[in-house]
Amino acid sequence: MKVDVLLGLQWGDEGKGKIVDVLTPDYDIIARFQGGPNAGHTIEFDGKKFVLHTIPSGIFNKNTVNLIGNGVIIDPFVLKKELAMLAEGGVQAGENLLVSRKAHLILPTHRLLDAVFEISKGRQKIGSTLKGIGPAYTDKVSRNGLRVGDMESAGFMERYENSKKRHLLTVGQYDQNHEKIKIEGMPFLEYEQAWKEALSALGQLKKVNSEYFLNQALTAGKKILAEGAQGTLLDIDFGSYPFVTSSNTTTAGVCTGLGIAPANVGRVYGIFKAYCTRVGSGPFPTELFDADGEELRKTGREFGATTGRPRRCGWLDLPALKYAIMLNGVSELIMMKADVLSGFNEIKVATRYQYKGQTTEELPYSEQDEKAVPVYIGKKGWDMNLKEVNAYEELPEELLDYIQFIEDAVGVPIRIVSVGPDRSQTIRV
Ligand code: GDP
Ligand code: IMO
Ligand code: MG
């Protein structure tokens, strides 16, 4: 068997959580491979709504094992809250949730560092979710991190205190009053106490040497789906650096984030919205500042699942989509939020950019000095409410034409069209 992958092709929030949940009955194991609580994956069914940050979106299926892989960074405080939120909704996550010993921990002081670094950037700020992602991955790469497996050894708290001391030295250079910086609405010391209490919740979860667990599962013929977080255009290497996150959000991240050999990667589902959104700073060629952008935000309820911030909205960007398909080796596409485009007379799609006096299909290295200006073509819109549609053939002709146009342009088939947030509002092609 091979590991299938589902990941975002845009700037995150494409609807990964919803579709992983839809595909889960076909899999034995769902595994997150990168990112951390900066992710917010929404799942809706039976009139209930859940937002997951660390736990894989297969958790609602009792027969599926969910693994938080080594490439993920974990904040015990957020994880504990997530477990409580699930329990409140009648989902007991403990039994079918596994955690990699090699996953790194986000410490309270990583969140302080995130805050002071971001403030110091001023107008160049990244628009981080401030969950401590950058500083925690920095410690991992600079070989200073604390891992889940370290919690099992006696010297853990001493190492924690040493890391904290080191972080506070840096924080002090930015802001002497670090104790006044609030985390999750709490002063630092109060938050740190809550974080320490949450460590025991993490301690109770089942730990595994996940690279062995997954490879043995593959040998035993188990079906595994790797669930991406963020999106390709936020990738640390290939996104619009520095306005990116701190992990590889692309298929390559599955190999390092789970211990899967490249030859064992199977299907790659690339998921994209029928338009584009972005939260945080950074280039966004097709961003709209007019009534159409407002309409997309309103109809699509484009407000962040993690931070509640309004998402920037714009038309579909084909050069960016092709770039993401190329980097990930996407074998099939999933188009989300088609329902949100209902009611537009004309739907625009960027097919190229004007950049530095030339027409190009390549994303520029940087848009600091000059912006890429999209070249659009217009497609005819439709006015049908799609939320009740159950079959592909029932979709309006103009939407079928829009789908065909995208498939022809990118050369990859669209296998699922999503027409609403609920699990049931999913049309297989
Ligand atoms: P993720 O981070 O990729 O899992 O996506 P988010 O959960 O952050 O954002 C997607 C948002 O769109 C959530 O509020 C979903 O409930 C919602 N959603 C997902 N699919 C659809 C769809 O087809 N139509 C509409 N209208 N909403 C959708
Ligand atoms: P999901 O998994 C959308 C964005 C932030 C910011 C940048 C860096 O829900 O799709 P970070 O917190 O990593 O330092 O933020 O990346 N970002 C996301 N945007 N969806 C996400 O995750 C995101 N995770 C991070 O807004 O611009
Ligand atoms: Mg999200």
Side-chain angles (χ1 to χ4, degrees), residues 11-14 16 38-41 114 126-131 133-134 228-231 234 243-246 278-281 306 309:
W11 286 283
D13 301 331
E14 295 89 351
K16 297 173 290 292
N38 47 350
H41 294 181
D114 222 358
I126 288 163
S128 167
T129 61
L130 301 178
K131 301 292 176 188
I133 304 298
Q230 290 77 57
L234 290 170
F243 304 104
V244 293
T245 191
S246 299
R278 177 168 198 166
V279 247
S281 326
T306 297
R309 292 178 291 176

Side-chain angles (χ1 to χ4, degrees), residues 64-84:
T64 305
V65 171
N66 289 267
L67 172 80
I68 303 173
N70 61 277
V72 176
I73 48 176
I74 301 175
D75 185 329
F77 178 86
V78 178
L79 180 60
K80 183 181 170 191
K81 259 185 35 183
E82 227 170 307
L83 289 165

